[in-house]
DNA sequence: CTGAAAGCGCTTACAG
DNA sequence: CTGAAAGCGCTTACAG
C-alpha cells in the first residue's frame, strides 16, 4: 500500500487488460460505459493518478509551460518588479485554466540561460517576462529560434518578426497619460524614463507622449527628460537631476509607477507638493500605486487579460496554429497625484 | 535536425553504446575520461538535453517541487496577498539553487485540491502557503498524510505533530511590536485581527502582544479588539468599528500590514492623525509598507531565509532525513507610523 | 468493445 | 572501462 498504484494494479482488480484501464481512465468512448465506470471507481479508491512522466514520455508532450522571469540584478534580490509579480499571478491562473502546469524560474541577467525546458521535455513552451530590453538578449532569442523552441515574449513588438511578442499598447498608454495631464491644464511636462531604443516599452510610452503633445500643439520639453530604469531609487535620482537642472516644468510623466513613486519622494524632500505644485502620472498600476501618497494616477496594464492572451497564444503556437503579435489596450486610473479628481 | 537528438544519436556518432553515452553525460568516472569528453562535446554540438520524462520515469523522482498557494476568494482575484508573493520569489530562488524545478499553482479555497503533484510523479514534494488557517483544511492535510505525500506547511506550528510546519516566530513578533509601542509611551493598545484559534498565526501574534503587556504590568484592552482578516478593506472595517465603539485607545497593533493600512485609511477619514493621535504598528513588512503614509512601522518576516529553510526542510523530508518544525526570528522595522524615529 | 504488443528515452544492475 | 538487456508506466496502432 505504500508504493503507488499503477494501471496494472487496477487492471488486475478490475479483471481487464492494462490497455483497457488506460482507455477507461482517459474516458474513452471505446470502452463500455459500465466497465469504464467500474475502472474509474477502482482508480479513485486506490487513489491512482496517471504517472505524468510515463504518459508524457509516451505522448511526447509535457502539458507544462515554463515562465522565465528576468531578474534585475541592480535590485535587492527580494524586490522583483511588482508588475511582473502581478503578471505571474495571472499567468499562473491562465495556465491552470487551460489544464497546464507552470514551471517558474527567475533568471539572473548575468547567468547562463537555462532555457532548456523544452529541449529536456519539461515544458512545451516558454513565456519570457522582463526581456523587453531585447538588445542584450538578441542572441539568446536567436538561439531559441534556431532550436525551434516555442516561446513568446512579453513586451513591445520585436523587430525580428519571427519572435512572437505580446504586450500592452504602450504607445496608446503614453497618449492617454499625456492627454490626462494636458486636460488638467498642465503644459510643461517632464519625462522620466529611458526613451532610447534600448528600452522599447518605455520608448513607446514616450512616443505616445510625444504624439499627444504634438496633437495639442505643444512642444516636447526635451530639457526635462531624464533617464531612469524601473526602480524607486532610479526615479528618485532622476527627479533630483531634473530638479537640479533648474529647468521649468509643472508636471511629470514617469515611465513606470516605481519611477513615479521615487520621483514623488524626491519632490517631497525638496518641499514640492504633489499635485499642487507638480502633477505626476505613473505607469503600470502596481498594487503599491493606490497606497502611495498621494495615490498615483497611472496607466493600468490589464494583467489578467495579458496573462490569458499570453497563455492562449503560446498554446496556439505549440499547436502549430497561426498567431500574430497582439497589443492589449490600457486605461487610465485617476487618483490623486494629478489632482483633477479627489476622492481621498 | 528538426526532431530532438537522443542518446542513441549521440552513441551512433561517438561510436559507443547508448549506455556509455548515458554514463558519460552524467559524468560517471566509470567512463574513460577521453571518451567522456568526446561524448559531451557531441552532446553539446547536437544541443542534446536529457529527456526529463524518460529519466524521471526511470529513476522515479522528478527533481521538482510544487508550491500551492491558497487563494483567498474574498479578494479581487488579482490581489494575491503580497506577503505570499514575496515568499513565492524567495522559494523560487531557493528551489533553483538546489537544482530543482518549481511548479506553481494557486488553489481556490472552494475548489477541490489538485494536490496530486506527487501522486502523478510531477513533483517530489509540496510546499503549502496560505493554509495557516488549518482548521478548514484539516481533512485535506490528513489525506496528504495518509498518502505519504511529502509536504511542508508555512505557518504556525501545527497541532498534529506529523505535519511539518515552518513559520516565523509570531509570538516573538507580537512581543517586539508591543514593546516598541510601549517604549514610545503609548499604553492603551487596540488589537486588530482575528485572535481565535481559527487563525493560529494571528493568534500567536496576539499572545506575544499579551505577554509583553503583562510583563509591563499593563492590562489587555479587551474592548479594543476587533476581528479582521488580512485585507485592506477588512482592516478599514475593523478600525471603523473600533472608532465607533467609543472606547479609548492611543495606539493600534494590527495583525498584518494590510490591516494596518486599512486602519490608517479609516483613521484618516475620521480626521485622526497617525502617529500624532494614534500610533499604528503592522506585521509582515510587505513592499507596500514603506510606501504607506505614514510609512509603516512593522514586524518584518525574513522571506528570503524563510524560503530557503522551507525548501531545505522539504528536501530533507523527501530524502528521509530528520526534520523538525522551525521558527524563524522576526525583527522590527521602525518607520513613521508610531513616531519615535522620523526620517521622512 | 477488448487485448497483446510495441515503444517513448532514459538508467542501471549484470556480465564481461 | 564498456555493452546488451531489462524495465520505469504509460498510450496507441493493430488485430480481433
Amino acid at each position: 500500500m505504500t508504493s503507488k498504484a499503477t494501471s496494472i494494479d487496477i487492471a488486475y482488480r478490475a479483471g481487464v487488460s492494462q490497455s483497457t484501464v488506460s482507455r477507461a481512465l482517459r474516458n474513452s468512448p471505446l470502452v463500455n460505459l459500465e466497465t469504464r465506470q467500474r475502472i474509474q471507481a477502482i482508480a479513485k479508491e486506490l487513489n491512482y493518478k496517471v504517472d505524468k512522466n510515463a504518459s508524457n514520455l509516451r505522448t511526447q508532450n509535457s502539458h507544462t509551460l515554463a515562465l522565465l522571469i528576468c531578474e534585475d540584478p541592480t535590485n535587492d534580490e527580494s524586490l522583483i518588479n511588482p508588475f511582473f509579480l502581478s503578471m505571474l499571478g495571472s499567468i499562473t491562473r491562465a495556465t491552470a485554466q487551460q489544464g497546464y502546469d507552470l514551471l517558474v524560474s527567475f533568471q539572473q541577467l548575468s547567468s547562463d540561460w537555462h532555457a532548456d525546458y523544452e529541449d529536456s521535455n519539461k515544458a512545451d513552451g516558454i513565456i519570457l517576462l522582463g526581456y523587453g530590453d531585447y538588445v542584450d538578449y538578441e542572441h539568446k532569442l536567436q538561439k531559441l529560434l534556431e532550436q525551434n523552441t516555442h516561446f513568446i515574449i512579453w513586451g513591445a513588438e520585436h523587430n525580428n518578426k519571427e519572435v512572437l511578442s505580446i504586450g500592452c499598447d504602450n504607445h496608446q498608454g503614453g497618449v492617454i497619460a499625456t492627454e490626462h495631464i494636458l486636460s488638467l491644464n498642465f503644459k510643461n511636462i517632464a519625462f522620466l524614463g529611458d526613451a532610447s531604443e534600448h528600452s522599447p516599452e518605455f520608448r513607446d510610452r514616450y512616443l505616445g507622449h510625444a504624439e499627444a503633445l504634438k496633437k495639442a500643439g505643444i512642444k516636447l520639453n526635451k530639457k526635462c527628460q531624464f533617464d531612469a530604469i524601473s526602480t524607486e531609487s532610479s526615479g528618485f535620482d532622476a527627479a533630483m537631476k531634473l530638479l537640479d537642472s533648474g529647468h521649468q516644468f509643472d508636471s511629470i510623466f514617469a515611465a513606470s509607477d516605481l519611477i513615479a513613486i521615487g520621483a514623488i519622494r524626491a519632490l517631497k524632500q525638496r518641499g514640492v507638493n504633489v499635485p499642487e505644485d507638480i502633477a505626476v502620472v505613473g505607469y503600470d498600476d502596481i498594487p503599491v500605486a493606490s497606497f502611495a501618497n498621494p495615490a498615483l494616477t497611472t496607466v493600468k496594464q490589464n494583467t489578467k487579460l495579458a496573462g490569458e492572451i499570453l497563455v492562449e497564444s503560446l498554446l496556439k503556437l505549440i499547436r502549430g496554429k497561426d498567431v500574430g503579435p497582439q497589443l492589449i489596450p490600457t486605461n487610465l486610473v485617476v487618483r490623486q497625484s494629478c489632482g483633477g479628481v479627489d476622492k481621498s
Side-chain angles (χ1 to χ4, degrees), chain A:
Chain A
M1 264 302 18
T2 48
S3 72
K4 270 160 201 153
T6 70
S7 54
I8 295 196
D9 299 328
I10 297 178
Y12 178 77
R13 292 218 186 192
V16 295
S17 74
Q18 184 266 336
S19 339
T20 299
V21 170
S22 179
R23 289 193 191 95
L25 293 174
R26 331 202 80 240
N27 214 14
S28 161
L30 281 175
V31 178
N32 178 295
L33 182 62
E34 205 182 308
T35 320
R36 223 191 298 167
Q37 288 172 340
R38 186 159 44 91
I39 292 172
Q40 288 172 355
I42 295 174
K44 191 159 192 179
E45 189 193 328
L46 260 46
N47 195 46
Y48 169 81
K49 294 283 154 32
V50 171
D51 185 301
K52 281 298 169 189
N53 290 314
S55 70
N56 289 344
L57 173 60
R58 180 57 229 241
T59 60
Q60 289 297 83
N61 81 356
S62 66
H63 264 254
T64 301
L65 263 25
L67 173 62
L68 258 50
I69 301 181
C70 178
E71 188 172 88
D72 193 333
T74 55
N75 267 338
D76 173 293
E77 56 186 301
S78 65
L79 283 179
I80 303 147
N81 186 325
F83 175 73
F84 293 151
L85 245 22
S86 300
M87 287 294 292
L88 168 63
S90 70
I91 289 171
T92 305
R93 244 178 288 271
T95 307
Q97 215 170 301
Q98 300 276 354
Y100 273 68
D101 285 316
L102 186 70
L103 236 27
V104 177
S105 170
F106 291 90
Q107 305 278 324
Q108 302 274 10
L109 254 174
S110 49
S111 78
D112 256 355
W113 246 17
H114 14 153
D116 52 353
Y117 291 101
E118 188 166 344
D119 299 307
S120 55
N121 274 335
K122 286 194 286 192
D124 299 335
I126 302 176
I127 297 175
L128 261 22
L129 208 57
Y131 296 90
D133 191 351
Y134 59 73
V135 180
D136 304 348
Y137 284 100
E138 200 55 51
H139 62 288
K140 293 186 174 176
L141 297 185
Q142 199 55 46
K143 197 171 169 208
L144 288 182
L145 241 24
E146 277 165 21
Q147 294 170 202
N148 286 313
T149 300
H150 300 103
F151 73 98
I152 190 166
I153 184 164
W154 170 260
E157 195 165 342
H158 203 271
N159 48 3
N160 182 340
K161 293 302 169 209
E162 286 180 81
V163 173
L164 179 58
S165 65
I166 302 278
C168 280
D169 192 337
N170 290 296
H171 188 276
Q172 179 226 6
V175 170
I176 62 177
T178 307
E179 286 179 345
H180 177 69
I181 300 177
L182 294 175
S183 77
L184 297 170
N185 276 320
F186 297 98
K187 301 219 179 300
N188 207 346
I189 313 178
F191 179 86
L192 262 31
D194 182 355
S196 74
E197 71 284 349
H198 200 74
S199 300
E201 292 200 275
F202 281 9
R203 185 174 177 76
D204 284 351
R205 293 169 197 180
Y206 176 75
L207 261 21
H209 167 67
E211 185 188 289
L213 244 29
K214 194 176 171 184
K215 208 164 149 194
I218 294 176
K219 265 199 183 165
L220 261 176
N221 188 349
K222 293 229 176 194
K223 298 202 165 152
C224 290
Q225 289 170 18
F226 288 87
D227 279 358
I229 61 166
S230 196
T231 64
E232 204 262 354
S233 65
S234 179
F236 178 86
D237 294 343
M240 279 303 185
K241 278 186 211 156
L242 170 61
L243 254 8
D244 289 338
S245 77
H247 295 299
Q248 293 297 311
F249 63 98
D250 57 18
S251 50
I252 294 176
F253 175 26
S256 84
D257 283 349
L258 251 17
I259 294 175
I261 289 169
I264 290 175
R265 180 161 63 92
L267 293 170
K268 274 189 192 165
Q269 193 163 308
R270 291 288 177 91
V272 179
N273 292 319
V274 179
E276 295 79 4
D277 304 331
I278 302 282
V280 177
V281 199
Y283 205 107
D284 284 343
D285 196 25
I286 58 177
V288 171
S290 61
F291 297 120
N293 176 37
L296 265 190
T297 289
T298 188
V299 178
K300 183 186 177 68
Q301 308 209 57
N302 188 338
T303 52
K304 180 167 187 289
L305 185 62
E308 286 165 5
I309 292 181
L310 231 22
V311 171
E312 273 169 30
S313 299
L314 180 55
L315 254 25
K316 277 188 193 160
L317 198 65
I318 291 168
R319 289 165 185 158
K321 292 188 201 150
D322 246 10
V323 245
Q326 266 190 75
L327 239 31
I328 299 163
T330 56
N331 61 287
L332 191 74
V333 179
V334 178
R335 297 201 182 89
Q336 283 98 53
S337 63
C338 286
V341 167
D342 196 341
K343 41 163 188 167
S344 63

